[in-house]
Amino acid sequence: MDPVIIAGAGPVGLTLALALARQEVPCVVLDEGPGKDDPRPARTVVLREDAVAVVERLTGTPLAGPGVRWAGWRSMRRKQVTREVVFGETDPAPLHIAQHELTGVLRTALRHEPLVRIAVDSRVDGIEQETSGVTVHTRGPSGTWWRGSYLVGCDGPRSTVRKLQDIRFPGRTAVERYAVAALRTELPWTDEALLHRMPPWRTSGPSAGEIVGRPLPDGVWRLDWLLPPGKDLVTPELLVNRVRETLTGWGGGTAPSYELLDTGVHTVHHRLARRWRVGRVLLAGDAAHLLGALGTQGLEEGLLDADNLAWKLALAWHHGPREALLDSYQTERRTAIAARLRAADQLLPLLRGGGGLRSYVPGSTRGNDALLAEGHLGRGALAAPGAYADSPLAPGQLAGEVPVGTPPGAPVTDVRVTAEDGTFVRLRDRLGRGALLVLLIAPGTGVWDRKHWVTAGIMPRLAAAVTALPLHAELLVAEAYPGAAAHTVLLVRPDGHLVTALNGVRPADLYAAAEAALGGATAGASPDTEATEKEAGAGAAAGSR
């Protein structure tokens, strides 16, 4: 079968290629550039834990080396500290990393991936689609035609793929603008990020605004100054003045020495493509959406696009088209992005205007600064991670369904589990392999060798039910899971979102939930309840002998 073609070699396209290759799907990545990225220290991204986990799982490289996790977060208004957050194991910090460093980690991992080919200096300028596949023409030094099973446009805000498919991209332009500088210096806060609103050295006018300082490795900081509305030119002189003024203010009247490494202007747009799928052509990342009203968190949603799409494309590539499953990519991801854009459209005017927030959020005692801080940290109304509560892949009413600490459709909590080979691993380490995960909560199993309990109790019956599922599934066991009672069985999608939690071993419910999670299209006929129970019972009898 023809490979999947990915247009665009940014972080989203490279992540998607790695995710597909890990599921034995060959890919061709069409890179408009020369195959490497120029260092831009002022172009950074902030990633939440779920997005970091996706990249680290695919690359096997901890991102805390090229990036940094902050020790804390500090919010200030004028001279007063209004909010402090200290990060730890129970409250992990977001990761701050330069985009070229992130791309470099992905490119390094792809060099060792035989299923992925990167074609440099290849810009898409033509697409022909048939029911059996898609043909893409590229221009460049060696312009040619490429044949693929699917095409995914990860080619950024000006996506050629989106334009050639005549997909509208409505939204708002220049929602916010920031002057940005990356510099090496020493600040009073060595490893804390800072949001400073209305600094005392800028006392009036729309330019009083706010400043955000985010540390990077090796003593480098990214500073962002919110600019007033309009299109006024940001000159080098203005940026240097802002740097000196800010460092002097934070230094108590004396500016520390600094080395200016990079500057720029970051303009935030809010746009959402009308469609994310046209037959065998799909969109991901900035080609499908633009967001990130607080500066640097738009990319992580693109990484989650890739994680959501990869296992669905892999199933279609290996087992034939699954229309409902592929359609669910647009439904789930577009709904999640739309919710963030709506929140930004509703709350940002209130936050920037400085009034009316408490009447807008009934019962809330948090002020504007707290809500802004949560937005910068990937939390709260402005930046909460998306859950697929209304997914078309959600099963219907199941007799044995029980609530746990994770609602259906949300990402599961990362807990220690026992794998099928008896080793202890993290639950997140088993994601992204194209398999469903079935997790049994069994307190006490961690202190016994697996061979003593794998054939005891409900395990044989559950193992038989897992074997009968319509897609390969891995059976895992955990001592505990938030909100789950003993013998609760969780069904988890390959991208780590909870399908359902069941009260004990219920083969028919487990099969129905798995079939729904695959879009209702399975390789074989769905067994009825009686047949499934008989098969599971036979497995239990065999295990008890």
Side-chain angles (χ1 to χ4, degrees):
M1 190 171 175
D2 294 319
V4 172
I5 300 174
I6 299 171
V12 176
L14 298 177
T15 298
L16 179 59
L18 269 175
L20 288 171
R22 296 291 185 265
Q23 298 172 67
E24 301 182 350
V25 177
C27 304
V28 173
V29 180
L30 304 178
D31 187 350
E32 292 185 10
K36 61 181 180 180
D37 300 277
D38 294 330
R40 288 294 311 276
R43 190 179 185 189
T44 67
V45 295
V46 177
L47 302 178
R48 291 184 301 235
E49 192 66 18
D50 49 354
V52 172
V54 170
V55 177
E56 292 185 339
R57 183 179 73 235
L58 292 172
T59 63
T61 301
L63 294 183
V68 64
R69 292 184 183 274
W70 309 322
W73 172 273
R74 180 185 303 243
S75 297
M76 297 180 65
R77 176 183 284 269
R78 297 187 176 90
K79 297 181 180 181
Q80 180 182 3
V81 175
T82 59
R83 182 179 179 86
E84 288 187 278
V85 177
V86 178
F87 299 112
E89 289 187 8
T90 58
D91 186 15
L95 182 119
H96 188 210
I97 185 171
Q99 184 164 315
H100 70 270
E101 295 280 7
L102 175 62
T103 305
V105 169
L106 293 165
R107 287 189 185 274
T108 299
L110 282 168
R111 291 193 193 105
H112 307 287
E113 184 47 70
L115 289 177
V116 179
R117 174 183 177 184
I118 298 181
V120 300
D121 298 318
S122 298
R123 180 179 176 83
V124 174
D125 66 356
I127 300 172
E128 295 180 2
Q129 182 176 180
E130 309 90 36
T131 56
S132 59
V134 61
T135 305
V136 178
H137 186 266
T138 57
R139 71 171 185 263
S142 55
T144 187
W145 288 96
W146 301 86
R147 180 68 180 175
S149 54
Y150 294 90
L151 167 65
V152 185
C154 304
D155 48 344
R158 297 180 176 86
S159 170
T160 301
V161 173
R162 186 187 66 239
K163 293 173 183 176
L164 289 175
Q165 295 302 297
D166 197 26
I167 298 175
R168 293 185 59 205
F169 198 38
R172 299 170 57 204
T173 299
V175 176
E176 292 185 331
R177 286 200 314 151
Y178 295 85
V180 181
L183 56 144
R184 183 175 285 109
T185 189
E186 292 186 8
L187 295 180
W189 314 277
T190 55
D191 52 4
E192 291 183 348
L194 170 73
L195 167 65
H196 197 167
R197 303 191 77 195
M198 302 180 68
W201 56 88
R202 303 190 68 85
T203 56
S204 64
S207 61
E210 64 187 47
I211 310 165
V212 181
R214 303 178 179 93
L216 285 161
D218 303 322
V220 176
W221 287 78
R222 169 173 167 165
L223 304 185
D224 293 49
W225 295 267
L226 179 64
L227 297 172
K231 298 181 179 180
D232 294 341
L233 183 64
V234 179
T235 64
E237 291 78 13
L238 183 146
L239 266 170
V240 170
N241 287 337
R242 288 290 176 95
V243 169
R244 291 174 177 169
E245 180 183 64
T246 301
L247 295 183
T248 300
W250 286 346
T254 302
S257 61
Y258 68 92
E259 178 187 2
L260 188 60
L261 304 175
D262 190 21
T263 62
V265 176
H266 177 58
T267 303
V268 176
H269 309 290
H270 283 175
R271 296 190 178 277
L272 187 62
R274 292 289 191 195
R275 293 180 292 169
W276 291 29
R277 182 190 177 203
V278 179
R280 290 178 175 266
V281 178
L282 302 103
L283 302 177
D286 286 351
H289 51 76
L290 294 175
L291 73 165
L294 300 179
T296 55
Q297 291 179 318
L299 174 62
E300 69 178 3
E301 294 291 359
L303 299 179
L304 299 182
D305 291 347
D307 196 37
N308 183 289
L309 179 58
W311 70 275
K312 298 173 182 179
L313 268 184
L315 276 173
W317 195 89
H318 286 294
H319 302 291
R322 295 166 177 255
E323 298 304 315
L325 187 63
L326 291 177
D327 284 343
S328 73
Y329 163 66
Q330 170 178 309
T331 303
E332 291 178 345
R333 293 300 303 148
R334 193 177 187 277
T335 300
I337 300 299
R340 286 192 65 174
L341 290 176
R342 280 196 301 272
D345 286 343
Q346 293 169 348
L347 294 179
L348 277 177
L350 296 169
L351 294 174
R352 298 307 185 206
L357 177 63
R358 295 188 179 184
S359 62
Y360 185 83
V361 185
S364 174
T365 59
R366 298 179 304 172
N368 297 11
D369 294 321
L371 188 57
L372 264 180
E374 288 193 346
H376 279 285
L377 296 175
R379 306 169 177 177
L382 282 170
Y388 311 137
D390 299 320
S391 169
L393 305 182
Q397 189 69 33
L398 299 173
E401 189 167 34
V402 293
V404 295
T406 301
V412 292
T413 300
D414 190 27
V415 296
R416 192 181 82 154
V417 299
T418 304
E420 291 181 342
D421 61 1
T423 59
F424 292 115
V425 296
R426 304 300 301 181
L427 179 57
R428 277 186 175 147
D429 293 340
R430 315 309 288 183
L431 301 176
R433 302 174 179 218
L436 296 168
L437 302 181
V438 177
L439 178 61
L440 171 67
I441 311 306
T445 51
V447 300
W448 298 99
D449 193 288
R450 183 175 183 272
K451 66 183 180 182
H452 296 307
W453 49 259
V454 71
T455 59
I458 65 174
M459 279 296 292
R461 186 162 174 253
L462 178 58
V466 170
T467 302
L469 293 180
L471 179 68
H472 171 66
E474 183 178 9
L475 177 56
L476 306 169
V477 179
E479 285 262 4
Y481 187 89
H487 297 168
T488 300
V489 175
L490 279 65
L491 180 63
V492 182
R493 297 181 354 174
D495 60 352
H497 288 256
L498 181 67
V499 179
T500 190
L502 300 173
N503 180 20
V505 181
R506 296 176 174 267
D509 281 355
L510 191 63
Y511 190 99
E515 189 177 42
L518 302 177
T522 63
S526 171
D528 59 26
T529 301
E530 182 179 358
T532 308
E533 293 283 0
K534 284 181 178 179
E535 185 174 357
S544 63
R545 286 198 291 269

